[in-house]
Amino acid sequence: MRSVDGNRCSTRWTQHATAQQFCIEDVGQRSDFCGSDLGGPFITTSRGVDSIVGILSDSPCLINIQTPSQPSLVTRISFFREWIFQTTQI
């Protein structure tokens, strides 16, 4: 998986891509995630530490786009960090 350039992301997801979201893709695959993956975590690993950085939000396969390298949409957790801390009080 890799992050997709913001311009390419907003070109694919014209009405959805905002500061609170980003796109990912798995080069050479038909889709990054689909169906039951929706709402699941997007986790990255840096220096041996796993971090949840996003929530899987939308995918080309959910709207029947089956072309290679179409980016999928992820909601950016950091955008909502303050709200999460206030709401959960942790």
Side-chain angles (χ1 to χ4, degrees):
M1 292 289 171
R2 69 176 182 191
S3 291
V4 176
D5 173 82
N7 290 331
R8 183 162 175 257
C9 183
S10 60
T11 297
R12 169 63 193 91
W13 297 103
T14 55
Q15 298 177 2
H16 302 286
T18 65
Q20 60 197 23
Q21 298 166 315
F22 63 96
C23 284
I24 59 171
E25 69 180 348
D26 190 359
V27 179
Q29 300 297 317
R30 295 183 65 84
S31 180
D32 296 328
F33 65 91
C34 199
S36 63
D37 296 325
L38 192 64
F42 180 67
I43 300 170
T44 60
T45 303
S46 178
R47 298 180 183 162
V49 177
D50 293 335
S51 298
I52 298 174
V53 297
I55 299 169
L56 304 175
S57 302
D58 210 342
S59 174
C61 75
L62 296 175
I63 53 176
N64 295 324
I65 297 175
Q66 295 294 321
T67 57
S69 297
Q70 288 293 316
S72 294
L73 199 60
V74 179
T75 298
R76 190 182 310 270
I77 295 283
S78 62
F79 187 86
F80 296 98
R81 186 174 294 143
E82 188 61 34
W83 177 86
I84 291 168
F85 288 144
Q86 288 176 359
T87 303
T88 63
Q89 299 183 356
I90 58 172

